[in-house]
Amino acid sequence: LLACEPPREPRLGRIDGAVSCVGNMRPSPDWEDGSFFGLHWDYEAMVRENGLVTESIASAAKRAGAARFVYVSASSAQQYAYGGALMGYVDGKEAGEVAARQRFGDDTCVVGPSLVLGGGRFAGLQKAYRAAVDTPLVRGQTKLFKALKSGVSTGWVPQDAVNEVALTPPSDVDAVARAICACLLDTVTEAQLGPFREEQRQEYETRGILKDKERQGAFDFTFIDGTDQILTTANECGTPALLAAAVAKGSLVATGDANGDCLRAGFLQWQ
């Protein structure tokens, strides 16, 4: 997919739904004079690898009969913070969201994590990172700074959001997988999405971009935004029992038993 210009559409059989978790934040392998030790990100490559590839996947999925599409994007805080050198990443993720919505409309679900850890990799880092940032003091500090900055002319700017992202607890890959499955199997209810959207609305207002987001239809589809919303979705809508029941009602077969690790990790096999 990444080697083709434009990205080639994958060949799929008949499917009921699809998930795109394609993305890339790696710096360019090419040296750039004048940058920090030659480090830089290729804007066009980032847009292609984070956006255009997902556009191809969404198109192929739609033609293969998919009714629902889940796109693993980035948290709204991450997208707001990562301008500048990483603008290609942000624009690519936003392009992927737009492409998915153009093809699937309200049946598009976007899951937006920040940092994702787990699956046996970097176990020590995940534990240490969470212990350092997932505390009432750190969370309270971020809320306080937002309240203070909201009252000044500059407002909550992207540079402030960089610190917010850095101090956000990482998402466990298991929780992300279960949230994805909950979106794919439509176990997330409007009653659960309502508070999520209100939180997002408040965040956009703090950043001074609420009107822009409303014009873009940001509240017209399912968006699971950030670590806390992902964890809530996984715990309330993505339990093994709920997912197994949803599978039993539809045309999906879960690998493993109803209590199995495979289902909990989000592995589903299409019939």
Side-chain angles (χ1 to χ4, degrees):
L1 289 173
L2 297 181
C4 301
E5 291 283 354
R8 185 182 63 211
E9 291 185 7
R11 295 180 180 179
L12 302 173
R14 181 71 180 178
I15 63 174
D16 297 315
V19 178
S20 173
C21 51
V22 177
N24 180 25
M25 286 186 69
R26 291 175 297 180
S28 171
D30 301 323
W31 180 275
E32 183 178 78
D33 292 333
S35 62
F36 182 72
F37 289 102
L39 183 67
H40 72 106
W41 284 262
D42 185 310
Y43 177 85
E44 293 183 357
M46 296 282 275
V47 170
R48 181 176 66 254
E49 295 169 4
N50 289 286
L52 298 184
V53 170
T54 289
E55 182 176 348
S56 295
I57 293 171
S59 294
K62 188 67 175 179
R63 273 195 289 274
R68 295 183 68 79
F69 189 83
V70 182
Y71 177 41
V72 183
S73 184
S75 69
S76 64
Q78 196 176 50
Q79 293 186 37
Y80 185 62
Y82 286 176
L86 289 170
M87 185 57 72
Y89 173 80
V90 175
D91 287 350
K93 288 296 187 183
E94 290 181 346
E97 292 178 13
V98 170
R101 291 175 58 197
Q102 286 174 340
R103 288 153 181 80
F104 289 90
D106 293 345
D107 291 317
T108 303
C109 301
V110 176
V111 177
S114 182
L115 178 63
V116 181
L117 295 173
R121 301 179 63 193
F122 310 112
L125 173 60
Q126 181 181 16
K127 185 177 181 180
Y129 197 165
R130 185 173 294 279
V133 301
D134 196 9
T135 66
L137 179 61
V138 174
R139 286 176 176 265
Q141 171 186 290
T142 300
K143 290 181 180 180
L144 176 60
F145 285 169
K146 280 185 178 180
L148 293 175
K149 292 298 293 286
S150 297
V152 299
S153 59
T154 56
W156 186 257
V157 296
Q159 292 89 336
D160 299 315
V162 170
N163 292 329
E164 178 186 2
V165 171
L167 295 175
T168 297
S171 290
D172 186 85
V173 67
D174 178 81
V176 175
R178 288 190 288 124
I180 290 170
C181 288
C183 291
L184 189 65
L185 295 169
D186 200 20
T187 62
V188 186
T189 68
E190 281 298 320
Q192 290 156 326
L193 290 174
F196 289 175
R197 291 192 177 116
E198 184 57 33
E199 290 175 10
Q200 292 159 15
R201 189 178 295 276
Q202 291 175 2
E203 289 294 333
Y204 293 146
E205 187 172 15
T206 298
R207 298 166 193 158
I209 58 175
L210 177 58
K211 291 184 178 179
D212 290 337
K213 289 296 183 179
E214 288 176 336
R215 282 193 294 267
Q216 295 166 8
F219 306 105
D220 298 339
F221 64 101
T222 299
F223 181 29
I224 311 300
D225 185 15
T227 299
D228 290 342
Q229 291 190 7
I230 288 172
L231 184 60
T232 299
T233 302
N235 290 339
E236 294 183 359
C237 313
T239 64
L242 280 175
L243 297 181
V247 167
K249 292 178 181 178
S251 59
L252 296 174
V253 174
T255 61
D257 56 35
N259 297 315
D261 292 335
C262 289
L263 180 58
R264 191 160 51 249
F267 294 120
L268 296 171
Q269 180 180 4
W270 302 107
Q271 278 190 334

